[in-house]
Amino acid sequence: MTASDEPGWFPIALRLRGARVLVVGGGGIALNKIRLLLAHAAWIEVLAPTLDDALATLRDTGQIHHIAAEAHPDQLNAMLPGCRLVYAATDDRAVNRAVAARADALNIPVCAVDDPEPSSFITPAQIHRGPVRIAISTGGAAPVLARRLRERIEAAMPAGLDGLARFLRDARPHVVAHCPDIDRRRRVWEDFLDGPGGAAAQRGDTATARQVLDQLLDGTRVTGEVWLVGAGPGDPDLLTLRALHLMQNADSVLYDQLLPPALLDRVRRDATRVFVGKQRDRHTMPQPDINAELIRRARAGERVLRLKGGDPFIFGRGGEEIEALVEAGIPFQVVPGITAAIGCAAYAGIPLTHRDCAQSCLFVTGHARKDGTLDLPWDRMAGRGQTIAIYMGVHALPDLCAMLVHHGLPPDWPAAIVERGTQPDQRVLTGTLATLPDLARTSGIGSPALILVGEVVRHRVVSPPIE
């Protein structure tokens, strides 16, 4: 091939079972390619004077076949005929190019590793999850970048994907037999994958998956499901992989007041969005109505995402919602999220516990009653040797600080407030119980914000800038 030619991809669907593949090289470079070929059940011959320990183990277990010789022209002329593919995988570019030239002359596809010019094909970075295979390539320009992209994609792929693919493969004859119409069959598969059947197959519950599939084939409406998902404190990168997966698969989403737009952008674009957020003294949708809406949508067959800031079970009223779902017989899942105390404290550089001063951490809500009073365990909160994380306490901050002093903490006890924690515009103010209310007022601190009280505030650290 000429220098202007661009090598093609190695076709990952190519049938290599039993096909002869020659790999020239006996070290780590060759090992990387051999591991890929083993997944394709090829007959692998390795031409190298010696093998490293890993390849020697593959030889001793019969997975590769070693020819202990140099890649001289006569040796290559004897071995190349009949090969389906060739990899030149030594650490000597001149040797690799000589191998590539001889293979190309025989019209045998050849890859000189990390050298696109003499190669007639390249091997993309690949992800294997059972029958599912994904390839990423930069056309040979940046193999390390392709590997990094593979790592990111692989990390985002849900667990159980291989089981889902195997279920679909095994169910195909059954579906074809019961649904000969191609267009209707396509819709059945889409509804299965997008609904509770696909989720069941993914988690290994093949009995439920088969039941849902049969219901779809019979034209029976399938009950939906509700997902209570914790979205974390604000930074979208703090979403769990499970949360992101469900956000991308929901038919509708009921979301709270404090979720930033960047996080909502991760939700499936065509999902119906329903704002049910609660603000101080004003509820867009009262909690009983939220429960009823979750049930209504699930009974209509929707996969309903109840997206909550932080964690659903930390001051998120998730317990009330699942009780309503259980009573109504609606299937549900709960996905935990990083709660504000953990996320905001970490991004502010304040440890929640410290062996020198805080052996426990107390989470409380500073939300006042309708009459403005704060009903909190003051005596317990005013103890030393702990950190207090106060949610929803911005408007009651002066009273909170005054009551803690009244119940025994000194006025100069350290305290901090973290506004919009983990987000790009995060602000952190540190002071004491005596000074923090005025600091917050003059700085215009508003919700969402988390208050931290305890000696750990003195241990706050901020990372130095990268020079």
Side-chain angles (χ1 to χ4, degrees), residues 364-369 374 376 390-397 400:
V364 298
T365 174
H367 191 64
R369 291 180 172 182
L374 291 168
L376 297 174
I390 306 173
Y391 294 66
M392 297 172 284
V394 174
H395 295 282
L397 181 59
L400 285 165

Side-chain angles (χ1 to χ4, degrees), residues 24-38:
V24 180
I29 300 173
L31 177 63
N32 290 337
K33 302 306 177 185
I34 288 170
R35 284 172 173 160
L36 170 65
L37 293 166
L38 288 172

Side-chain angles (χ1 to χ4, degrees), residues 349-401:
I350 299 173
L352 288 178
T353 63
H354 194 289
R355 63 180 298 177
D356 293 338
C357 60
Q359 290 74 49
S360 64
C361 184
L362 182 63
F363 293 1
V364 298
T365 174
H367 191 64
R369 291 180 172 182
K370 290 184 178 180
D371 61 5
T373 61
L374 291 168
D375 184 16
L376 297 174
W378 297 110
D379 290 338
R380 184 180 175 190
M381 290 170 61
R384 300 176 185 243
Q386 66 178 1
T387 302
I388 311 169
I390 306 173
Y391 294 66
M392 297 172 284
V394 174
H395 295 282
L397 181 59
D399 291 337
L400 285 165
C401 292

Side-chain angles (χ1 to χ4, degrees), residues 117-354:
E117 184 178 338
S119 300
S120 55
F121 75 91
I122 57 177
T123 307
Q126 297 185 27
I127 299 169
H128 290 183
R129 293 284 181 88
V132 179
R133 297 186 178 181
I134 301 172
I136 306 100
S137 175
T138 60
V144 174
L145 175 60
R147 289 197 294 271
R148 289 291 182 268
L149 292 173
R150 179 198 65 195
E151 292 166 4
R152 293 189 180 186
I153 294 172
E154 193 164 24
M157 293 173 66
L161 194 61
D162 54 342
L164 173 60
R166 290 189 178 95
F167 178 88
L168 298 175
R169 177 195 62 196
D170 296 342
R172 281 185 69 185
H174 174 70
V175 173
V176 170
H178 287 76
C179 187
D181 181 79
I182 294 177
D183 291 336
R184 181 171 176 270
R185 188 162 69 236
R186 183 183 301 111
R187 179 59 188 268
V188 166
W189 282 127
E190 290 174 349
D191 289 346
F192 177 84
L193 280 171
D194 293 339
Q202 192 169 299
R203 64 177 179 262
D205 185 358
T206 55
T208 298
R210 186 60 179 259
Q211 180 182 8
V212 171
L213 183 59
D214 286 340
Q215 289 175 335
L216 290 169
L217 290 171
D218 293 339
T220 304
R221 172 172 285 183
V222 179
T223 300
E225 188 175 14
V226 174
W227 305 327
L228 276 69
V229 174
D235 184 346
D237 287 344
L238 295 181
L239 286 167
T240 65
L241 297 178
R242 182 64 179 163
L244 185 60
H245 171 67
L246 295 180
M247 290 167 69
Q248 288 291 315
N249 286 275
D251 297 309
S252 58
V253 53
L254 278 64
Y255 65 96
D256 283 341
Q257 167 70 26
L258 301 180
L259 298 182
L263 196 150
L264 287 171
D265 286 343
R266 307 294 177 96
V267 174
R268 175 176 161 184
R269 291 187 182 278
D270 59 346
T272 301
R273 301 188 181 196
V274 182
F275 174 59
V276 296
K278 302 178 182 66
Q279 295 177 330
R280 185 169 177 260
D281 300 327
R282 182 169 65 87
H283 290 184
T284 298
M285 186 180 290
Q287 189 62 49
D289 292 350
I290 294 175
N291 298 345
E293 184 69 5
L294 294 172
I295 294 168
R296 182 188 71 80
R297 289 180 175 275
R299 282 178 173 164
E302 293 184 21
R303 295 159 300 166
V304 188
L305 175 70
R306 178 67 176 102
L307 193 61
K308 296 173 172 287
D311 181 275
F313 286 173
I314 304 294
F315 306 125
R317 305 188 75 171
E320 299 172 45
E321 291 173 354
I322 63 170
E323 287 172 357
L325 296 172
V326 169
E327 186 176 347
I330 301 298
F332 66 88
Q333 298 180 43
V334 180
V335 179
I338 295 177
T339 190
I342 295 173
C344 296
Y347 273 52
I350 299 173
L352 288 178
T353 63
H354 194 289

Side-chain angles (χ1 to χ4, degrees), residues 34-111:
I34 288 170
R35 284 172 173 160
L36 170 65
L37 293 166
L38 288 172
H40 291 270
W43 176 273
I44 305 169
E45 297 178 351
V46 180
L47 177 61
T50 59
L51 302 178
D52 68 9
D53 291 343
L55 288 175
T57 298
L58 294 178
R59 176 200 61 202
D60 296 342
T61 55
Q63 297 179 75
I64 63 174
H65 310 277
H66 179 213
I67 296 89
E70 298 280 358
H72 293 307
D74 291 343
Q75 187 69 48
L76 291 172
N77 290 337
M79 296 189 64
L80 285 173
C83 287
R84 178 75 66 85
L85 297 174
V86 176
Y87 279 98
T90 74
D91 57 5
D92 188 325
R93 174 167 287 203
V95 171
N96 290 345
R97 289 197 165 198
V99 172
R102 290 188 173 273
D104 196 51
L106 294 173
N107 204 29
I108 300 172
V110 59
C111 174

